[in-house]
Amino acid sequence: MEMRLPSDVDVPMVDTSAPSESPSAVARLLEYSPGHHVALPPHTTMEVVEKPSVVAVPGAPYYAYGLMAWQDRWIPLIHLDSIVRAYVSIPLPPVPRYALVVAYQAAPGEPIEHGAIALPALPRFVSVSDQDACDLPGNSDVWPLLSISCFKTGEHVVPILATGRLFSTYHG
C-alpha cells in the first residue's frame, strides 16, 4: 500500500492554467546622481550608513572621498558620478548624507573586502525580469568595464554593477 503525505494531495506542483511569467529577481536601486541610477545584487549590499565619518587620504583617486570608518576599520568611500564621468575635472561634492557599504572580491578565491558608495538618497529595492534587459547606456565609456548587465525600469536605463570591478581599481 502506498503511503501519501498530506502535502501529496492531488495538487499539481506547477499551476499550468496560469500564463507563464518570466522569473524575476530583486536588485538594489541606487540614485547616484539626480535622475541617474545603478543597481547592485542585494547580496553585495551590507549596510546604509547615515552621516559617514570620512578621513581624506592624500593621493587618493579623483573619485574617492577618502576612508570611511565602518565596524572598527577604514574602507574607501567613492563618488560614483565622478567615475561615470571618467576624468572630467569636477570637484567632489561635500560628503553626502548616506553611504552604502558593499562587499566584493578583487578576484575569485580572494577574501571578501568592503567599500562604500556615496549616495544622496536612500537606496530601494526593485524587481527585475529578463523582459527588462536592455543595452548599456551610451553616456559613459566605463559602463562596459563596471557592469555585468543592464535593465530598464520606467524611463531609467540602469546598469547593474559588479562591485569587484568597481573597487578593484581603488586598490590598484
Side-chain angles (χ1 to χ4, degrees), residues 49 51-61 63-79 92 95 99 101 104 113-117 167 170-171:
V49 175
K51 298 180 184 172
S53 174
V54 179
V55 174
V57 176
Y63 53 84
Y65 283 102
L67 296 174
M68 179 183 98
W70 181 70
Q71 294 190 2
D72 296 327
R73 62 183 130 169
W74 295 95
I75 62 174
L77 175 64
I78 62 171
H79 184 247
L92 283 176
V95 174
V101 178
Y104 70 95
E113 298 185 51
H114 298 91
I117 301 170
F167 284 95
Y170 186 85
H171 297 291

Side-chain angles (χ1 to χ4, degrees), residues 34-162:
H36 296 90
H37 298 81
V38 294
L40 295 172
H43 71 275
T44 65
T45 62
M46 305 299 296
E47 179 181 351
V48 173
V49 175
E50 188 171 8
K51 298 180 184 172
S53 174
V54 179
V55 174
V57 176
Y62 68 96
Y63 53 84
Y65 283 102
L67 296 174
M68 179 183 98
W70 181 70
Q71 294 190 2
D72 296 327
R73 62 183 130 169
W74 295 95
I75 62 174
L77 175 64
I78 62 171
H79 184 247
L80 188 56
D81 195 35
S82 293
I83 295 173
V84 171
R85 293 177 188 223
Y87 303 106
V88 173
S89 182
I90 58 169
L92 283 176
V95 174
R97 182 172 178 181
Y98 304 103
L100 177 64
V101 178
V102 298
Y104 70 95
Q105 285 181 293
E110 293 290 320
I112 301 291
E113 298 185 51
H114 298 91
I117 301 170
L119 296 178
L122 287 171
R124 60 188 175 95
F125 287 100
V126 64
S127 183
V128 181
S129 73
D130 288 346
Q131 298 163 338
D132 302 320
C134 66
D135 292 331
L136 289 169
N139 65 344
S140 176
D141 292 339
V142 302
W143 291 131
L145 303 173
L146 300 177
S147 304
I148 54 177
S149 189
C150 191
F151 65 91
K152 190 168 185 176
T153 179
E155 294 300 315
H156 302 287
V157 174
V158 182
I160 301 171
L161 299 181

